[in-house]
Amino acid sequence: MEIVIQPTPEAASLIAAHIIANLVRDKPDCVLGLATGSTPLPMYRELARMHREDGLDFSRVTTFNLDEYVGLPPEHPQSYHAFMHEHLFRHIDAAPERIHIPNGMAADVPAECARYEAAIRAAGGIDLQVLGIGTDGHIGFNERSSSLASRTRIKTLTEQTRRDNARFFGRPENVPLHVITMGVGSIMDTRQVLLLAFGENKARAVAEAVEGPITAMNPASILQMHAVAKALLDEPAASKLALGDYYRWVFANKPQWQRFVRGR
Ligand code: PGA
């Protein structure tokens, strides 16, 4: 895994936005895997700015989101449909028919999950997947003990995740119990992964994922087996890494052609 440590979430998010923008320019009909939560917000703000001010064109891009709450209709303010519209899609020119988010209202959840996997395959697979990480190491909503080969399916949220997400719902009891999430195996099939993690409360999960053993007890640790995975961290999220100085050294000595933001 490539570990990039930046002083602030904004600096790390700028790099993430540049990586995505470069992909969109090189392959205008690319397929992006997108994530919700607090973590990707500065990156989405920068992508929206690049669209507005630099003309970054998303009109041929296809997107797939990682997950959605079961039982929340798209118009519910805490649904991930609403989140993505509010924080990204209304600010860019992505074509609505190429935006995909699991349907949390599906009457037949397994059929919806199979349909979602088929839609990803039909689009040619995901070129780049954005990921956050839970305080317990979950990616998407693949909680600890998730099969590392899992596909899109229903999951039951842990009490910890419901507590972590209660800030959006007022109280933990209001957070839905069930979600549809792309599986760990679905995430591993993507061609490139950008894992973003900010803040001290992510430091333990990040250290275990990057430097610990590969284990379903930290689903993000499977990214050690992904051929093109980058972790973009702020200093607090990187604070428990044993090899932090080495990762900073590698970043500082990147050859010019390998840099993410030209000239830096
Ligand atoms: P957060 O969530 O970005 O809101 O911290 C990350 C996650 O749970 O995957």
Side-chain angles (χ1 to χ4, degrees), residues 37-39 132-134 138 167 202:
S38 310
T39 307
I133 184 170
H138 70 227
R167 64 191 191 278
K202 300 293 175 72

Side-chain angles (χ1 to χ4, degrees), residues 3 133-134 137 195 197-198 202-212 218 231 233 237-238 241:
I3 318 301
I133 184 170
L195 176 86
F198 308 137
K202 300 293 175 72
R204 188 178 53 86
V206 165
E208 284 175 7
V210 173
E211 296 177 337
N218 180 317
L233 312 172
L241 288 167

Side-chain angles (χ1 to χ4, degrees), residues 70-126:
V70 169
L72 294 194
E75 58 279 6
H76 189 287
Q78 298 311 332
S79 75
Y80 286 164
H81 281 77
F83 178 101
M84 289 307 298
H85 181 75
E86 172 66 23
H87 294 292
L88 184 64
F89 295 141
R90 75 187 180 93
H91 304 287
I92 63 173
D93 58 344
E97 67 276 16
R98 279 191 284 276
I99 290 173
H100 305 271
I101 303 176
N103 175 12
M105 297 300 286
D108 183 340
V109 171
E112 168 61 9
C113 296
R115 183 197 68 77
Y116 204 69
E117 288 275 334
I120 294 172
R121 277 196 303 278
I126 292 173

Side-chain angles (χ1 to χ4, degrees), residues 112-122 150-153 181-183 185-186 189:
E112 168 61 9
C113 296
R115 183 197 68 77
Y116 204 69
E117 288 275 334
I120 294 172
R121 277 196 303 278
S150 51
R151 312 303 307 186
T152 303
R153 69 211 184 293
T181 181
M182 279 169 58
S186 325
D189 282 351

Side-chain angles (χ1 to χ4, degrees), residues 4-132:
V4 176
I5 303 171
Q6 293 288 291
T8 62
E10 287 68 29
S13 302
L14 192 72
I15 290 177
H18 274 267
I19 292 171
I20 292 177
N22 289 342
L23 172 63
V24 170
R25 286 192 199 99
D26 289 350
K27 186 178 177 186
D29 61 349
C30 66
V31 180
L32 299 178
L34 299 177
T36 52
S38 310
T39 307
L41 291 178
M43 182 191 76
Y44 289 153
R45 274 196 293 276
E46 177 61 15
L47 289 172
R49 189 205 64 74
M50 288 170 157
H51 171 68
R52 203 173 52 244
E53 294 176 15
D54 309 337
L56 184 63
D57 178 7
F58 291 90
S59 61
R60 294 171 59 200
V61 168
T62 296
T63 69
F64 286 91
N65 264 78
L66 281 167
D67 42 24
E68 178 59 288
Y69 291 109
V70 169
L72 294 194
E75 58 279 6
H76 189 287
Q78 298 311 332
S79 75
Y80 286 164
H81 281 77
F83 178 101
M84 289 307 298
H85 181 75
E86 172 66 23
H87 294 292
L88 184 64
F89 295 141
R90 75 187 180 93
H91 304 287
I92 63 173
D93 58 344
E97 67 276 16
R98 279 191 284 276
I99 290 173
H100 305 271
I101 303 176
N103 175 12
M105 297 300 286
D108 183 340
V109 171
E112 168 61 9
C113 296
R115 183 197 68 77
Y116 204 69
E117 288 275 334
I120 294 172
R121 277 196 303 278
I126 292 173
D127 291 302
L128 182 148
Q129 178 67 55
V130 176
L131 294 178

